[in-house]
């Protein structure tokens, strides 16, 4: 089945049905990405027609969860883009360290590798015990992974290399226990996390933060939803706080841009000026 069969009228109707029945709003997700992912599901799961696929998503709760997992993008790793974490260590954490309670929001956190990376940075800076890491994602399944703190052991070599490049000076293996083919990260990291579902398309601000990270999520939104999410972050960020986006994302041309100054290293971190 070709993506061309999935015209705008069909896609609008399907996404509206999903929103009305399940409360998940994918209406302003970037259409090319949605078409690719839905087309892939239709082919892989051998649906004879788009209508058969639509009915399965709407009527089968188990299949709907599978649909959410497939259309939301879960690509992440610990200390991804080490230069970004160097900048967090050097400039951002010292700037927010004076807060009595440091509140950090990882929006669209996926399985949580970046949340654990942040917890390790805070621990090494002596800040973890007075920090709360809010970890949210639209997909409840990936949040279970995050909550467990268990990741495939085969990834640890790459994560350790990223950690060292990011300025880490400890033995990375001290942060997890290896068992069989898995690595379980320490409970001291997890206990400072507040893990909850949150939909950037429909949910509101729920706290005031010194640092918000939403990396490589906005690229899957259309311009309207990007601006809506950025406004949500602006409403949720203290003056003097920091907003971090992904390498292909920017505040440029967004309504909130005049209130922010980008840090000089161009690692996609902005400071809120007013």
């Amino acid at each position: 089945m070709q993506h061309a069969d999935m015209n705008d009228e069909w896609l609008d109707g399907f996404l509206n049905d999903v929103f009305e029945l399940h409360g998940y709003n994918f209406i302003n997700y970037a259409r090319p990405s949605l078409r690719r992912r839905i087309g892939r599901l239709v082919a892989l799961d051998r649906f004879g027609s788009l209508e058969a696929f639509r009915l399965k998503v709407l009527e089968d709760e188990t299949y709907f969860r599978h649909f959410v997992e497939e259309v939301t993008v879960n690509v992440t790793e610990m200390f991804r883009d080490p230069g970004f974490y160097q900048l967090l260590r050097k400039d951002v954490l010292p700037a927010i360290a004076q807060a009595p309670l440091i509140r950090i929001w990882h929006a669209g956190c996926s399985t949580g590798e970046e949340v654990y990376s942040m917890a390790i940075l805070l621990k090494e800076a002596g800040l973890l015990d007075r920090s709360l890491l809010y970890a949210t994602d639209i997909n409840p399944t990936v949040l279970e992974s995050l909550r467990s703190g268990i990741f495939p052991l085969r990834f640890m070599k790459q994560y350790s290399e990223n950690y060292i490049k990011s300025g880490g000076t400890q033995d990375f293996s001290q942060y997890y226990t290896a068992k069989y083919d898995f690595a379980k990260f320490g409970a001291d990291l997890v206990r400072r996390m507040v893990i909850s579902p949150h939909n950037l398309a429909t949910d509101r601000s729920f706290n005031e933060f010194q640092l918000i990270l939403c990396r490589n999520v906005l690229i899957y939104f259309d311009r309207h939803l990007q601006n809506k999410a950025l406004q949500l972050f602006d409403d949720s960020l203290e003056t003097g706080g920091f907003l971090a986006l992904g390498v292909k994302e920017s505040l440029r041309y967004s309504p909130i841009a005049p209130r922010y100054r980008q840090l000089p290293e161009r690692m996609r971190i902005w400071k809120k000026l007013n």
Side-chain angles (χ1 to χ4, degrees):
M1 184 174 300
Q2 298 300 310
H3 299 159
D5 298 336
M6 208 182 303
N7 60 40
D8 283 340
E9 185 181 358
W10 183 89
L11 199 51
D12 285 341
F14 171 66
L15 296 177
N16 276 306
D17 288 346
V18 166
F19 185 35
E20 286 180 20
L21 202 62
H22 294 289
Y24 280 67
N25 189 349
F26 296 108
I27 292 164
N28 294 113
Y29 275 51
R31 290 302 168 96
S33 175
L34 271 179
R35 279 197 172 86
R36 276 196 309 274
R37 289 170 186 282
I38 291 172
R40 179 175 172 275
L41 269 178
V42 169
L44 279 177
D45 294 337
R46 300 175 183 271
F47 286 99
S49 68
L50 284 173
E51 186 57 21
F53 169 77
R54 186 184 76 86
L55 288 173
K56 186 75 168 173
V57 171
L58 297 180
E59 295 175 0
D60 185 328
E61 190 68 40
T62 302
Y63 192 79
F64 173 72
R65 287 197 295 272
H66 174 59
F67 164 76
V68 171
E69 287 170 24
E70 291 298 318
V71 299
T72 54
V73 181
N74 302 305
V75 179
T76 183
E77 62 184 45
M78 289 190 184
F79 297 95
R80 185 182 191 179
D81 307 320
F84 170 81
Y85 284 93
Q86 284 180 359
L87 189 55
L88 289 178
R89 286 184 193 273
K90 184 169 69 77
D91 288 357
V92 175
L93 293 190
I96 64 176
Q98 74 279 7
L101 177 63
I102 298 167
R103 292 180 302 275
I104 297 172
W105 179 15
H106 287 263
C109 64
S110 187
T111 42
E113 284 85 341
E114 290 200 347
V115 189
Y116 281 90
S117 304
M118 179 62 71
I120 289 168
L121 287 192
L122 290 164
K123 183 171 183 176
E124 293 184 354
L127 300 172
L128 184 59
D129 286 341
R130 55 186 178 90
S131 299
L132 283 177
L133 294 143
Y134 291 79
T136 68
D137 199 276
I138 190 175
N139 182 352
T141 305
V142 296
L143 295 177
E144 288 308 311
S145 254
L146 191 163
R147 191 174 277 112
S148 74
I150 296 172
F151 300 96
L153 190 61
R154 67 182 184 276
F155 295 155
M156 292 306 119
K157 181 175 183 294
Q158 179 64 56
Y159 294 173
S160 179
E161 290 171 6
N162 290 353
Y163 165 77
I164 291 164
K165 288 177 186 172
S166 79
T169 57
Q170 307 297 310
D171 179 356
F172 185 68
S173 65
Q174 72 176 297
Y175 294 113
Y176 63 85
T177 305
K179 190 170 184 181
Y180 303 113
D181 294 330
F182 294 95
K184 181 171 176 59
F185 281 76
D188 59 326
L189 303 177
V190 187
R191 70 185 175 85
R192 305 307 299 171
M193 298 176 189
V194 180
I195 301 165
S196 175
H198 184 276
N199 186 337
L200 289 172
T202 54
D203 294 341
R204 296 180 179 180
S205 173
F206 56 91
N207 213 323
E208 193 170 41
F209 301 93
Q210 289 87 27
L211 172 59
I212 298 174
L213 303 97
C214 184
R215 304 180 70 217
N216 308 306
V217 176
L218 299 185
I219 51 173
Y220 299 103
F221 294 174
D222 69 12
R223 174 69 69 181
H224 169 76
L225 188 51
Q226 285 176 9
N227 285 337
K228 185 176 180 181
L230 289 171
Q231 186 60 59
L232 172 65
F233 298 149
D234 187 51
D235 293 342
S236 308
L237 195 63
E238 286 186 357
T239 299
F242 296 86
L243 174 62
L245 302 177
V247 292
K248 294 181 180 177
E249 298 163 339
S250 179
L251 292 191
R252 189 179 297 169
Y253 310 124
S254 77
I256 72 168
R259 294 195 290 283
Y260 288 77
R261 174 180 60 82
Q262 189 170 10
L263 297 193
E265 286 85 347
R266 303 197 64 75
M267 282 293 170
R268 298 301 196 229
I269 301 175
W270 287 261
K271 182 173 185 177
K272 184 174 179 178
L273 303 176
N274 56 62

